[in-house]
Amino acid sequence: MKAFQGYYSYETPDHIQGADVTVTNKRIEIHLKDAHGNPRTVFWYWENVVKGEERPGGCVLHHTGRPLQTLIVPNGDFAPLAAMQMAKKRRVFPVAYVTFFATALIVVGLVVAAFVWIVPWLAGKAANALPVEYEVSIGEEAYQSLIKAYKILPKETEQVNTFYKQMGVSSPYPIKITVVDLDQSNAFAVPGGHIVVYSGLLKRMRHPEELAALLAHESSHINLRHTTRSLMQSLGTFTAVSLIFGDVTGMGAVLVENASQLKSLEYSRSLEKEADLNGLIMLKNQRIPGNGFGLLFKTLGESGGSAPSEWLSSHPDLDRRAKYVEEKIIQPEPTMPAVLTATWEQIRSGLK
């Protein structure tokens, strides 16, 4: 702490009075006396101090803001000391900016964490808490909303549904397959039981085992509630708000309004693997060969050109998936049931 003699003015240079000036690392203390001779002190913190105009006879400083305050200290040691303290003040600003941006990054990180971990967790909880009947109801509404954009093939739809029933697999949901006329290698599941298969994918299949694998995979997404959970996750904000306010009706309305997302819905690797392996178990229990997964993945990998594979784009790493499915297959495999082969031939002949 250093003390100097100076002159302080407030509002105008006419109101000037002598002052004892004390300098610390944090501030300037200006010790004055009022009109009655009583002591008073004015504090100037360095972050609010600026250098004034050059003038003979001393260092001139101002306090920022209004009214104007001026301090003149006619001492050669004061000027460099004030300059050093104001330089320190300027170095504070980068630190403040760093603190601001660091805080902003933390906030952004927390928001990202919420959507990466909390929203998926909420979506899973919400999906598992939905009664099957309610899931079937909103799934039916979603299906009716999105199927309007497609041309349904009634004969092929009936035949593929027959094929699925002949597979003999069980489900808590009323699984219904719809074949639509579109030359793309795609299929997707709707919450509650509907599966939509594009005719382009059926045309490119060469074996009945492939269709069995596809239906086992997509029905696994439904049975394990992957479709509902993933759709809720992709619409996380709406779902979270509905859950917070307990409005499952509102949540259902949001899912129906965004049903078009189902055709390009992406699942995580863990969900894809779970659907593959669950589908493999379904086939094994019905004595249907599981090699259809490998055959299906090969067909999808060959899709391209005029027949782009949407299913391929949302179901990556086919080689990796074929490998872990193959590792779970127990040899020798059963032969394909004759009734499924016969129905498959009817489907194939109708699509030619």
Side-chain angles (χ1 to χ4, degrees), residues 76-124:
D77 294 334
F78 179 81
L81 181 60
M84 180 183 69
Q85 294 296 342
M86 286 189 288
K88 289 182 180 178
K89 176 198 70 173
R90 287 193 292 271
R91 288 198 293 269
V92 169
F93 284 103
V95 175
Y97 283 124
V98 169
T99 302
F100 171 78
F101 285 115
T103 303
L105 286 174
I106 291 172
V107 172
V108 171
L110 290 174
V111 172
V112 171
F115 278 89
V116 171
W117 290 296
I118 298 176
V119 169
W121 179 81
L122 280 175

Side-chain angles (χ1 to χ4, degrees), residues 64-208:
T64 57
R66 290 289 183 268
L68 178 67
Q69 299 179 64
T70 303
L71 178 66
I72 302 173
V73 180
N75 186 306
D77 294 334
F78 179 81
L81 181 60
M84 180 183 69
Q85 294 296 342
M86 286 189 288
K88 289 182 180 178
K89 176 198 70 173
R90 287 193 292 271
R91 288 198 293 269
V92 169
F93 284 103
V95 175
Y97 283 124
V98 169
T99 302
F100 171 78
F101 285 115
T103 303
L105 286 174
I106 291 172
V107 172
V108 171
L110 290 174
V111 172
V112 171
F115 278 89
V116 171
W117 290 296
I118 298 176
V119 169
W121 179 81
L122 280 175
K125 289 291 184 182
N128 293 333
L130 285 178
V132 170
E133 295 78 9
Y134 183 74
E135 193 177 1
V136 170
S137 175
I138 63 173
E140 183 65 31
E141 290 185 60
Y143 169 79
Q144 295 299 334
S145 174
L146 68 87
I147 203 63
K148 297 174 184 177
Y150 297 97
K151 178 184 177 182
I152 298 175
L153 299 178
K155 182 179 178 181
E156 288 74 11
T157 293
E158 181 181 357
Q159 291 172 335
V160 174
N161 275 284
T162 298
F163 185 95
Y164 178 78
K165 291 176 182 177
Q166 291 171 342
M167 287 171 61
V169 296
S170 60
S171 172
Y173 299 93
I175 303 295
K176 299 176 184 177
I177 299 100
T178 303
V179 179
V180 297
D181 186 16
L182 200 59
D183 192 24
Q184 292 180 355
S185 297
N186 195 24
F188 59 90
V190 179
H194 282 282
I195 297 172
V196 177
V197 180
Y198 289 16
S199 60
L201 180 54
L202 290 176
K203 289 178 182 178
R204 290 170 184 83
M205 290 180 180
R206 294 182 287 272
H207 308 278

Side-chain angles (χ1 to χ4, degrees), residues 98-322:
V98 169
T99 302
F100 171 78
F101 285 115
T103 303
L105 286 174
I106 291 172
V107 172
V108 171
L110 290 174
V111 172
V112 171
F115 278 89
V116 171
W117 290 296
I118 298 176
V119 169
W121 179 81
L122 280 175
K125 289 291 184 182
N128 293 333
L130 285 178
V132 170
E133 295 78 9
Y134 183 74
E135 193 177 1
V136 170
S137 175
I138 63 173
E140 183 65 31
E141 290 185 60
Y143 169 79
Q144 295 299 334
S145 174
L146 68 87
I147 203 63
K148 297 174 184 177
Y150 297 97
K151 178 184 177 182
I152 298 175
L153 299 178
K155 182 179 178 181
E156 288 74 11
T157 293
E158 181 181 357
Q159 291 172 335
V160 174
N161 275 284
T162 298
F163 185 95
Y164 178 78
K165 291 176 182 177
Q166 291 171 342
M167 287 171 61
V169 296
S170 60
S171 172
Y173 299 93
I175 303 295
K176 299 176 184 177
I177 299 100
T178 303
V179 179
V180 297
D181 186 16
L182 200 59
D183 192 24
Q184 292 180 355
S185 297
N186 195 24
F188 59 90
V190 179
H194 282 282
I195 297 172
V196 177
V197 180
Y198 289 16
S199 60
L201 180 54
L202 290 176
K203 289 178 182 178
R204 290 170 184 83
M205 290 180 180
R206 294 182 287 272
H207 308 278
E209 291 88 346
E210 294 179 70
L211 180 56
L214 176 71
L215 298 180
H217 175 89
E218 295 297 342
S219 61
S220 290
H221 277 315
I222 295 172
N223 295 338
L224 299 171
R225 292 185 160 180
H226 292 170
T227 308
T228 304
R229 187 192 316 176
S230 297
L231 186 56
M232 285 181 173
Q233 182 177 334
S234 68
L235 303 171
T237 302
F238 300 101
T239 303
V241 171
S242 298
L243 289 173
I244 290 170
F245 290 99
D247 181 14
V248 293
T249 304
M251 180 173 62
V254 170
L255 297 182
V256 172
E257 289 174 6
N258 292 271
S260 60
Q261 291 194 18
L262 288 164
K263 64 182 180 181
S264 58
L265 190 64
E266 294 188 14
Y267 303 97
S268 66
R269 286 188 177 186
S270 61
L271 295 187
E272 289 292 4
K273 184 174 182 178
E274 189 176 11
D276 288 338
L277 297 182
N278 186 78
L280 186 63
I281 293 172
M282 291 169 61
L283 297 181
K284 178 183 176 182
N285 290 340
Q286 301 307 123
R287 297 198 57 76
I288 298 173
N291 67 332
F293 279 97
L295 296 170
L296 175 63
F297 296 153
K298 183 178 179 181
T299 295
L300 289 166
E302 294 171 351
S303 298
S306 61
S309 174
E310 291 187 14
W311 202 88
L312 173 62
S313 66
S314 59
H315 296 65
D317 301 318
L318 296 181
D319 290 339
R320 178 183 58 84
R321 293 170 65 192

Side-chain angles (χ1 to χ4, degrees), residues 2-43:
K2 292 187 177 183
F4 302 89
Q5 293 295 313
Y7 300 94
Y8 171 79
S9 65
Y10 181 80
E11 291 188 326
T12 68
D14 298 333
H15 298 158
I16 191 167
Q17 58 181 303
D20 293 326
V21 180
T22 303
V23 177
T24 72
N25 287 330
K26 291 184 178 180
R27 64 195 181 190
I28 299 174
E29 299 176 4
I30 306 171
H31 305 281
L32 306 165
K33 290 185 179 180
D34 63 19
H36 303 287
N38 299 315
R40 70 184 183 93
T41 303
V42 175
F43 298 102

